[in-house]
């Protein structure tokens, strides 16, 4: 089977992938960008309609092109998708989509074999920028399969209208859970908020120093080979005007995690029960890195240990948008750092003809 030769394959065309492609193009490095989504926009294109651009937490512009004059009332899925599409066009990034990357294996002569739904690429380095959206985390609890109501995850959240008149249990302590609760409470018969740990609300600003400290905590985990946590998980929840109102009204009154799920709702060991029509799992996501499994990059702790963006077990693999670079500004910086490392890697070996195919 023919393999298409490229110096670098970028997997994913969200913020991390486009940033990396921008820096690769500026460096004159032969590369291809593969994206499984049907159109530009990364994971943003799948966000729920009620998440308007004005509600977005910390969207940072891609390198070389600002996002200007965005209407804060428009859905972020539309605003960001249009921005990403314009960015791809401005810098002639030529993303190939939809392409599913199925496996990355050891190839011939020290190269990587990237197996996809659209053929096989042979690369000297790979930038993995697949994010987390494709791997929603569903916790398991006793009795979950007996629940007679509806269960869904943030990844499939349709907006508040779908919960009109319903009794809704929202599980999770992050920003998405809070946003869902504040919206759903306006139309639902009742909402109940459940978290494993008490939520931590943050007052005041969140400047550069606070951001660096938060990223450092996430970075320390991935350097130890542990699965990454989101930056938001260590910053706390911003106590903005809407959150203050939710606390005052009781919408954001939190209960500890239930012990089991019953056909009618959820229950705790001390006898408390809450009847529910819907359980909404706002329980986060995991890194979408299963296609890298053949390379055996994981550490005993379950994560991939990285040094900067480079996988500690394989210098050809860079993870951008993973762990400390999962924020939009972090992804931008990590894309540039990865390309600087890749330039050194490529310079150490003989360059092969670009665009060739081998059997």
């Amino acid at each position: 089977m023919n393999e298409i030769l490229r110096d670098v394959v970028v997997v994913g065309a969200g913020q991390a992938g486009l940033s990396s492609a921008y820096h690769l193009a500026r460096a004159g490095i032969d590369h291809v960008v593969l994206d499984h989504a049907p159109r530009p926009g990364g994971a943003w294109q799948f966000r729920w309609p009620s998440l308007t651009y004005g509600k977005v937490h910390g969207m940072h512009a891609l390198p070389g092109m600002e996002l200007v004059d965005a209407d804060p009332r428009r859905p972020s899925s539309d605003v960001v998708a249009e921005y990403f599409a314009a960015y791809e066009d401005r810098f002639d990034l030529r993303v190939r989509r939809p392409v599913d990357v199925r496996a990355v294996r050891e190839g011939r002569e020290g190269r990587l074999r990237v197996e996809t739904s659209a053929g096989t690429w042979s690369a000297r380095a790979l930038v993995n920028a697949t994010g987390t959206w494709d791997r929603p985390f569903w916790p398991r609890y006793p009795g979950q399969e007996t629940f007679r109501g509806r269960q869904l995850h943030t990844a499939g959240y349709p907006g508040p209208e779908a919960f009109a008149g319903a009794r809704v249990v929202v599980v999770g302590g992050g920003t998405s859970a809070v946003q869902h609760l504040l919206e759903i409470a306006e139309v639902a018969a009742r909402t109940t908020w459940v978290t494993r740990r008490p939520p931590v609300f943050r007052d005041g600003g969140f400047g550069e120093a606070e951001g660096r400290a938060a990223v450092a905590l996430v970075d320390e985990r991935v350097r130890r080979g542990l699965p990454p946590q989101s930056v938001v998980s260590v910053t706390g929840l911003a106590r903005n005007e809407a959150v203050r109102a939710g606390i005052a009204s009781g919408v954001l009154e939190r209960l500890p995690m239930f012990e089991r799920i019953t056909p009618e709702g959820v229950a705790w060991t001390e006898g408390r029960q809450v009847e529910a029509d819907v359980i909404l799992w706002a329980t986060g996501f995991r890194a979408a890195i299963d296609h890298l499994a053949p390379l055996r990059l994981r550490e005993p702790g379950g994560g991939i240990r990285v040094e900067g963006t480079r996988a500690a077990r394989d210098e050809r693999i860079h993870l951008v948008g993973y762990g400390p670079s999962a924020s939009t500004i972090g992804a931008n910086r990590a894309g540039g750092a990865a390309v600087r490392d890749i330039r050194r890697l490529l310079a150490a070996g003989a360059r092969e003809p670009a665009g060739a195919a081998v059997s």
Side-chain angles (χ1 to χ4, degrees):
M1 182 177 179
N2 287 346
E3 296 180 354
I4 305 169
L5 295 182
R6 288 291 184 269
D7 280 338
V8 181
V9 170
V10 179
V11 184
Q15 185 100 14
L18 293 183
S19 171
S20 300
Y22 168 86
H23 290 291
L24 286 166
R26 289 195 65 185
I29 296 174
D30 171 55
H31 68 281
V32 63
V33 184
L34 309 176
D35 187 37
H36 85 121
R39 55 190 180 276
W44 289 96
Q45 65 192 276
F46 305 115
R47 298 291 204 266
W48 51 97
S50 57
L51 181 62
T52 57
Y53 187 68
K55 296 178 183 178
V56 168
H57 176 72
M59 172 67 192
H60 196 273
L62 285 158
M65 179 177 162
E66 292 294 322
L67 171 54
V68 296
D69 300 326
D71 185 344
R73 298 167 298 181
R74 294 186 66 206
S76 60
S77 55
D78 293 342
V79 171
V80 180
E82 291 169 8
Y83 170 56
F84 281 14
Y87 189 85
E88 292 179 18
D89 184 62
R90 164 85 66 89
F91 297 106
D92 195 25
L93 297 183
R94 301 186 185 182
V95 178
R96 296 195 56 162
R97 60 168 61 90
V99 177
D100 292 321
V101 175
R102 294 166 176 165
V104 182
R105 308 181 188 277
E106 189 64 48
R108 292 175 288 179
E109 299 178 354
R111 298 175 71 92
L112 296 162
R113 178 181 169 88
V114 184
E115 299 172 359
T116 83
S117 60
T120 301
W121 274 262
S122 176
R124 299 171 67 190
L126 181 136
V127 175
N128 193 79
T130 47
T132 62
W133 187 258
D134 297 320
R135 285 204 60 202
F137 175 62
W138 292 76
R140 301 300 303 171
Y141 279 85
Q144 197 160 0
E145 69 284 352
T146 70
F147 182 59
R148 295 196 185 105
R150 181 184 179 196
Q151 296 186 60
L152 70 160
H153 190 276
T154 289
Y157 177 70
E161 296 81 7
F163 304 93
R167 299 164 299 177
V168 184
V169 173
V170 178
V171 184
T175 302
S176 293
V178 170
Q179 291 176 344
H180 296 337
L181 281 158
L182 294 176
E183 290 186 341
I184 293 170
E186 296 184 1
V187 298
R190 185 187 67 234
T191 60
T192 303
W193 187 21
V194 180
T195 72
R196 286 194 302 125
R197 290 182 295 272
V200 176
F201 292 98
R202 169 178 51 82
D203 291 301
F206 189 75
E208 186 174 343
E210 292 82 0
R212 283 198 302 268
V215 168
L217 290 173
V218 180
D219 182 57
E220 193 270 337
R221 281 184 62 86
V222 298
R223 286 184 179 274
R224 291 164 51 201
L226 298 173
Q229 292 178 321
S230 68
V231 173
V232 172
S233 71
V234 296
T235 63
L237 298 162
R239 199 191 305 260
N240 57 29
E241 184 177 341
V243 167
R244 289 191 183 95
I247 294 171
S249 68
V251 170
L252 296 183
E253 180 181 346
R254 165 261 182 191
L255 294 178
M257 197 65 205
F258 48 76
E259 298 293 333
R260 67 188 186 280
I261 299 174
T262 70
E264 294 78 27
V266 297
W268 290 256
T269 52
E270 69 270 20
R272 173 187 284 168
Q273 296 188 45
V274 170
E275 294 185 348
D277 304 300
V278 182
I279 301 174
L280 173 55
W281 298 93
T283 44
F285 300 79
R286 300 293 183 262
I289 52 177
D290 289 350
H291 54 286
L292 300 178
L295 297 176
R296 301 180 182 275
L297 302 176
R298 289 188 188 267
E299 301 293 333
I304 297 178
R305 185 163 59 91
V306 298
E307 298 169 351
T309 63
R310 185 176 63 252
R313 290 178 179 257
D314 193 327
E315 65 177 353
R316 300 168 299 177
I317 306 295
H318 286 261
L319 289 95
V320 180
Y322 178 85
S325 62
S327 66
T328 55
I329 188 169
N332 284 358
R333 293 170 177 168
V339 171
R340 287 192 293 272
D341 269 359
I342 288 170
R343 288 185 71 176
R344 288 190 286 269
L345 176 70
L346 298 180
R351 191 179 182 92
E352 298 178 56
V358 296
S359 300

